[in-house]
Amino acid sequence: MAKNKQKILSIVLAGGEGTRLMPLTRDRAKPAVPFGGVFRLIDFPLSNLVNSDYRHIIVLTQYKSHSLDRHISQMWRFSSLLGNYVSPVPAQQRLGKHWYLGSADAIYQTINIIEDVQPDIVVIVGADHVYRMDFGQMVEQHIASGAEFTVAGIRQPLAQSNQFGVISVDPDHPNQIREFQEKPATTEGLPDDPNSFLASMGNYVANTDALFDALAKDEKAEDTKHDMGGDIAPYFAARGEAGVYDFNSNIIPGATQTDHAYWRDVGTLKQFYDAHMDLIAYVPEFNLYNQAWPIYTDSGTLPPAKFVHAGRDRLGHATDSIVSPGVIVSGGEVHHSVLSPNVRIHSWAQVVDSVLFDGVIINRRARVYKAILDKNVVLTENSTVGIDTEHDLERGFTVTPEGITVVPKGTVVDD
């Protein structure tokens, strides 16, 4: 597809605190949370922008950003020859002695950077969703529609309307937003699907001048949360200047019928866990192996995974699982799980329906069921996680209503 000649600046909103992902966000920013073995959440939006040929990118950070800044500086480096960059920008306090008050305020506080670049259009994306998207197609529609502000939309179950920005379109102009409500308690279903509504993906395209004007008005407003979804999108919708881009129309090279238009908000522990289970389905809901639209990351210089012991009483093996570089399964059993780099599974140990972050060690005869183990967790011999809910709670672990046990970074589990 021929790209338009407009000058584009991309902004990634990576300052969220991620409280609903605790304890995974206890020591790191939400976009820095590991995902899918070798990736971090920030790698998905950045890969989408780079694959869309948008390579002038600033990343707005705030909470616990050290590991996020380090990952961006080490992994996301471009040659300076063509002027491409991914630049992390910490909270500036340019408008007073306060940190970012919301996503709109975050952009407004970095308006000097946007002015230096002088883009025609600003592409604004969240940093904590799992998906593939060609933003060039959204920008092309935005330009053709004449809208000042365009929101990417995706259908979601009606019961989840209180978790998203809800988009109502003009029946006579289906690409124009009639009303935008941020996380309403209830909403009406779509005319052709009463059990679904059109949700905002948190991705926006805006004409720079119109965006500046809206942000300046929002900064002075009294009744505002300074939020892109809660305030800026409704502002443009009320003026008849907001368009909607149907994510289902986005065509990605190499996409399958199964993972076409896949998008997951991983803002809760259940959503985070479920998205991992999508990866290891027999026909994956999200295909990490699509090299026509790769998700970039830095896997380092780790050796290949290794499986040892093939005796009758112990067999090192993994089934229906993702196994990252540097993993050694030594006489243990892994099923329907995701193992991140440098994990060790020792003899007679069992790991089932679980997600293990970097450096986790499961010693002999230890068992892990339906759990998320953060970095460098160690299970001593015969220890368990996910077997006895009451025992897990007594030890201070998080257990979700769905029975997912989460063990914080660096914990030594000794029964």
Side-chain angles (χ1 to χ4, degrees):
M1 174 184 292
K3 297 293 182 182
N4 64 75
K5 301 301 182 181
Q6 300 281 347
K7 188 173 184 181
I8 309 291
L9 174 68
S10 300
I11 299 177
V12 181
L13 300 171
E17 194 170 3
T19 54
R20 295 183 300 164
L21 274 182
M22 287 289 286
L24 303 181
T25 51
R26 185 185 66 183
D27 299 313
R28 59 170 76 89
K30 183 179 175 182
V33 172
F35 184 86
V38 298
F39 306 99
R40 291 178 184 257
L41 290 176
I42 189 70
D43 292 328
F44 291 85
L46 290 179
S47 294
N48 286 325
L49 289 168
V50 168
N51 288 331
S52 302
D53 289 333
Y54 296 153
R55 301 179 183 182
H56 297 164
I57 306 168
I58 61 174
V59 182
L60 306 187
T61 66
Q62 183 165 219
Y63 294 100
K64 305 172 186 175
S65 63
H66 172 67
S67 62
L68 177 61
D69 293 338
R70 182 179 60 194
H71 177 72
I72 293 172
S73 64
Q74 292 178 345
M75 165 59 202
W76 289 96
R77 293 178 295 175
F78 296 148
S79 167
S80 60
L81 183 64
L82 299 178
N84 298 326
Y85 56 87
V86 177
S87 177
V89 178
Q92 301 291 298
Q93 291 196 355
R94 294 185 62 85
L95 302 178
K97 296 298 182 180
H98 61 79
W99 301 113
Y100 295 150
L101 303 177
S103 54
D105 181 63
I107 297 171
Y108 193 62
Q109 286 206 41
T110 56
I111 209 164
N112 62 305
I113 298 175
I114 304 174
E115 290 173 334
D116 288 344
V117 177
Q118 295 186 327
D120 301 296
I121 289 174
V122 180
V123 176
I124 302 166
V125 305
D128 45 25
H129 300 138
V130 176
Y131 64 110
R132 283 187 174 92
M133 182 174 181
D134 182 355
F135 287 104
Q137 296 172 33
M138 182 177 176
V139 170
E140 292 289 346
Q141 179 189 297
H142 171 80
I143 294 171
S145 71
E148 297 284 6
F149 187 84
T150 299
V151 182
I154 186 172
R155 294 191 178 207
Q156 293 290 298
L158 196 62
Q160 296 181 14
S161 65
N162 62 348
Q163 301 177 32
F164 296 96
V166 174
I167 300 167
S168 299
V169 299
D170 186 333
D172 298 325
H173 303 89
N175 289 333
Q176 182 176 333
I177 298 177
R178 179 182 62 188
E179 184 181 18
F180 188 103
Q181 294 179 286
E182 183 68 1
K183 300 180 181 179
T186 60
T187 191
E188 295 181 358
L190 296 170
D192 61 341
D193 185 0
N195 295 317
S196 299
F197 71 99
L198 196 59
S200 168
M201 298 169 61
N203 296 337
Y204 314 100
V205 174
N207 295 340
T208 304
D209 291 343
L211 179 65
F212 279 6
D213 184 61
L215 292 175
K217 290 178 179 176
D218 179 74
E219 194 272 334
K220 295 180 176 63
E222 295 182 1
D223 185 20
T224 177
K225 295 182 179 179
H226 305 289
D227 185 70
M228 288 300 297
D231 301 291
I232 303 303
Y235 165 83
F236 282 109
R239 294 166 61 93
E241 297 174 347
V244 60
Y245 175 75
D246 185 355
F247 180 56
N248 193 58
S249 68
N250 201 254
I251 305 301
I252 297 297
T256 66
Q257 186 175 0
T258 302
D259 75 346
H260 168 72
Y262 178 97
W263 179 84
R264 291 292 183 272
D265 180 355
V266 290
T268 68
L269 292 170
K270 180 184 185 302
Q271 292 168 334
F272 183 81
Y273 178 87
D274 288 346
H276 276 91
M277 297 302 104
D278 288 345
L279 301 179
I280 53 179
Y282 175 69
V283 178
E285 294 288 325
F286 184 78
N287 180 19
L288 289 175
Y289 304 92
N290 178 7
Q291 289 304 301
W293 194 274
I295 306 301
Y296 297 101
T297 195
D298 182 9
S299 298
T301 56
L302 294 173
K306 180 181 179 182
F307 301 81
V308 294
H309 293 305
R312 289 184 177 181
D313 64 334
R314 58 175 174 169
L315 175 66
H317 66 285
T319 57
D320 295 340
S321 298
I322 287 176
V323 181
S324 300
V327 170
I328 299 177
V329 181
S330 176
E333 173 188 355
V334 178
H335 178 67
H336 202 243
S337 297
V338 176
L339 306 187
S340 301
N342 289 324
V343 165
R344 298 289 184 267
I345 311 294
H346 290 284
S347 295
W348 303 291
Q350 288 184 327
V351 177
V352 179
D353 295 336
S354 296
V355 180
L356 276 54
F357 286 9
D358 300 46
V360 168
I361 299 174
I362 310 299
N363 280 294
R364 291 186 169 201
R365 297 183 181 85
R367 291 178 294 161
V368 180
Y369 289 90
K370 199 174 183 180
I372 302 171
L373 308 187
D374 206 336
K375 278 188 173 184
N376 301 321
V377 167
V378 177
L379 265 68
T380 61
E381 288 194 25
N382 300 305
S383 295
T384 65
V385 168
I387 303 295
D388 184 338
T389 298
E390 293 301 321
H391 187 39
D392 288 340
L393 291 171
E394 288 171 0
R395 293 181 289 183
F397 303 157
T398 298
V399 181
T400 73
E402 300 79 22
I404 305 163
T405 302
V406 187
V407 180
K409 180 179 179 181
T411 301
V412 176
V413 181
D414 187 356
D415 285 347

